[in-house]
Amino acid sequence: MQTQSSKFDAAAMLRRFPFLPALGILLLLIVLNGIAEPNSLTIRAMKGVVSTYLALVFLSVAQTFVVYGSDIDLSVGAILSLVNVSMIVIMNQLGGGPFAVLLACFLGIFIGALCGLFNGLMVAGLRLQPIVATFATSILISGIALWVLPVAGLPAPSAFWKIYGGRSFGIPNVFFFLTLLVGLLVVIAKTKLVTKLLAVGNGQLSAYQSGLPVTRIRISGYVICGIFSAFAAMCITGDTASGDPLVGGAMTLSSVAAVVLGGTALSGGAGSAFGSAIGALIIGLISSLVFYAGTPSEWQNLVQGATILAVLMLGVLASRRINK
């Protein structure tokens, strides 16, 4: 009886906090990284990991808001690239001062939201298949990014990247950005929009029959996805200190992998943006572990991919066992 009660409690906890298996895996990877390279546990090393993968964290969170509604967005990497090059060009055209940086950030968020709105209209408004429609828009948005900045390498003004890579009160600013993200997710998780997105993901027909404006809710999910993709662009701009029209291309599928690693179902209706953020950090720590373990460079991609697959299977099997 006690065992059944414990299993029930574990299943209830998992339903309420679906990111718990991912959190356990993240802690395990931190320990393994520490064993492989003790210096990886220093603040400096952790700052390096967070700086490098904070863009993927934001992009994975962005992806989660459309996955909630059983949609998907294959253009998040292209949106990131477009916002990256647009911000760089605007900042350089306006002289690179604090006003130029601030204006470029606002315009970057606007561009991200506009791209999200366009995707939402294509998918929810015209009822196109999300995977095909957003694949097509990713090509379109990538083309615009190449038009804005045909050649990579235009540097970001120092006023921008010094903020991202700098410190405040002796603490690296990237930790403040990560804390800000967590606070933002706490607020957003309590909004009615997230509840409605999850309801739509559980069943569009039943959501429609219960009176929910399904089309508008799905479009809203894409707009939020675009805004968080813009935040990811700011992180990648601060980390690389330059513009690259193709910088986000390889990050799209990583964002989908992070969503799944974090415990969010691609079928929609269940999951957590926190889990996606943890999933992105898991991908980063796996890369670090593969490097610290001394894996030859020609084998690193293979080992990294196999490890991500193994971690994914571990998380899924753990969840199934608890839910039995």
Side-chain angles (χ1 to χ4, degrees):
M1 180 68 75
Q2 190 174 2
T3 305
Q4 288 180 347
S5 175
S6 301
K7 188 176 287 188
F8 174 77
D9 291 339
M13 284 287 288
L14 193 60
R15 279 194 289 274
R16 186 173 181 185
F17 306 107
F19 55 84
L20 285 179
L23 185 60
I25 292 169
L26 179 70
L27 295 175
L28 176 64
L29 283 169
I30 291 174
V31 172
L32 291 177
N33 270 271
I35 294 172
E37 176 52 66
N39 287 332
S40 67
L41 298 180
T42 62
I43 296 294
R44 183 176 179 182
M46 288 185 179
K47 182 228 173 190
V49 172
V50 175
S51 298
T52 304
Y53 290 98
L54 192 55
L56 181 58
V57 168
F58 273 97
L59 209 62
S60 304
V61 169
Q63 190 72 257
T64 310
F65 287 107
V66 289
V67 172
Y68 276 161
S70 77
D71 290 320
I72 197 165
D73 190 346
L74 295 185
S75 71
V76 289
I79 296 173
L80 181 150
S81 299
L82 177 59
V83 175
N84 165 251
V85 296
S86 300
M87 287 175 56
I88 291 285
V89 169
I90 292 169
M91 285 189 280
N92 279 281
Q93 289 287 331
L94 296 180
F99 172 75
V101 170
L102 196 60
L103 180 63
C105 288
F106 279 116
L107 289 176
I109 294 171
F110 176 73
I111 292 169
L114 203 60
C115 291
L117 177 63
F118 182 68
N119 280 329
L121 291 173
M122 290 297 108
V123 174
L126 297 182
R127 301 182 186 278
L128 301 179
Q129 285 293 325
I131 194 167
V132 177
T134 56
F135 174 69
T137 57
S138 74
I139 299 172
L140 176 67
I141 295 170
S142 294
I144 299 173
L146 279 165
W147 174 73
V148 173
L149 185 66
V151 180
L154 186 62
S158 59
F160 186 88
W161 56 261
K162 279 185 177 176
I163 294 174
Y164 186 79
R167 290 173 174 263
S168 299
F169 310 106
I171 302 172
N173 287 340
V174 288
F175 292 142
F176 288 109
F177 298 143
L178 192 60
T179 306
L180 188 64
L181 171 64
V182 172
L184 197 58
L185 293 183
V186 169
V187 174
I188 293 177
K190 296 181 182 299
T191 60
K192 290 181 180 178
L193 177 60
V194 169
T195 307
K196 291 176 180 176
L197 277 169
L198 291 170
V200 170
N202 270 321
Q204 291 186 18
L205 181 59
S206 55
Y208 176 77
Q209 289 174 337
S210 64
L212 290 177
V214 174
T215 302
R216 195 168 67 193
I217 291 169
R218 292 175 71 193
I219 291 175
S220 300
Y222 275 101
V223 171
I224 295 177
C225 176
I227 291 172
F228 272 89
S229 299
F231 290 151
M234 292 177 193
C235 296
I236 204 77
T237 306
D239 187 46
T240 63
S242 65
D244 184 348
L246 303 176
V247 68
M251 297 174 70
T252 298
L253 293 182
S254 294
S255 73
V256 177
V259 168
V260 178
L261 283 171
T264 298
L266 287 181
S267 56
S272 161
F274 290 105
S276 301
I278 293 171
L281 291 175
I282 286 175
I283 291 175
L285 287 178
I286 287 175
S287 300
S288 300
L289 183 60
V290 170
F291 176 76
Y292 291 141
T295 308
S297 58
E298 64 269 23
W299 289 94
Q300 285 185 4
N301 282 346
L302 189 150
V303 174
Q304 184 181 347
T307 308
I308 291 174
L309 193 59
V311 168
L312 180 61
M313 291 170 63
L314 183 67
V316 171
L317 289 174
S319 300
R320 285 181 182 173
R321 187 171 180 81
I322 292 172
N323 282 319
K324 271 184 179 178

